[in-house]
Amino acid sequence: MEYEFTIIVPVYNEEENLLRVEKQLANYLTIGSKKSCILFVNDGSKDNSLALIKDICERQMAFHYISFESNQGLSAAIKAGFDYATTPFIGYIDSDLQTDPEDFNLLLEHIEDYELVTGVRANRKDSFKKNMSSKIANGIRRSFTNDGMDDTGCPLKVIKLDYAKRIPMFKGLHRFLPAMILLQKGKVLQVPVRHYPRIAGKAKFHLTNRLIGPFLDCFAYLWMKKKYINYKVNENA
């Protein structure tokens, strides 16, 4: 079957959410604006997540998975999804479902004119501490990258395949996806999307890795920006 859109779903110890993920994503496949498939990336889960993923993929024809032998982190899971995807467009959503798969259609409305379209969480349903730390982290990142993005941590994005394949990912770079598209002379857009409280499972990010980690990653981004190679082939024979 010819798919147009691959939705990457990183999973790390999310057994309590996966049946809900299956239900909502299966529903999205019936209403999506592009012919879509799902790619779970099991990031070395230590609970029953992998067994549940295998069961889901047996039940659902458009669901597939890859599994790491050990936990590598969110950036690695997204990078693996980029590596394995073959469709013209790639999406990303977290398995905690604090964003709504249906909102992919809002992003896909614009993807023909942009290389990356990212959600920005409207009326966030997180704690005051989490909201403030994210706001500070986004401000620090913007001061380094000038990417103009208000919410790069939003786990709802759509990106064109050829641009995704050229992103040289490192740990923490998932926060810099818009900046990396701008380095490729691509265009980015942010679109308001819905946000919900987490109702199952445990958050994987806390104050330290939401503030200190992103601050240190900014220096890695600056090094990469200085060394980044970007070229377009004009002719070949």
Side-chain angles (χ1 to χ4, degrees), residues 134-163:
S134 293
K135 194 173 210 179
I136 293 168
N138 274 303
I140 293 170
R141 188 211 68 258
R142 272 197 310 273
S143 69
F144 278 81
T145 64
N146 294 312
D147 61 9
M149 297 289 106
D150 297 315
D151 186 16
T152 60
C154 179
L156 200 75
K157 292 178 172 61
V158 176
I159 183 172
K160 289 179 177 173
L161 176 71
D162 52 345
Y163 280 76

Side-chain angles (χ1 to χ4, degrees), residues 3 21 47 76 84 96 110 117 159 184 193 212 224 234 236:
Y3 295 110
V21 170
D47 63 359
Y84 276 78
D96 59 18
H110 305 280
V117 183
I159 183 172
Q184 298 182 47
V193 297
I212 298 175
M224 181 168 289
N234 188 34
N236 71 80

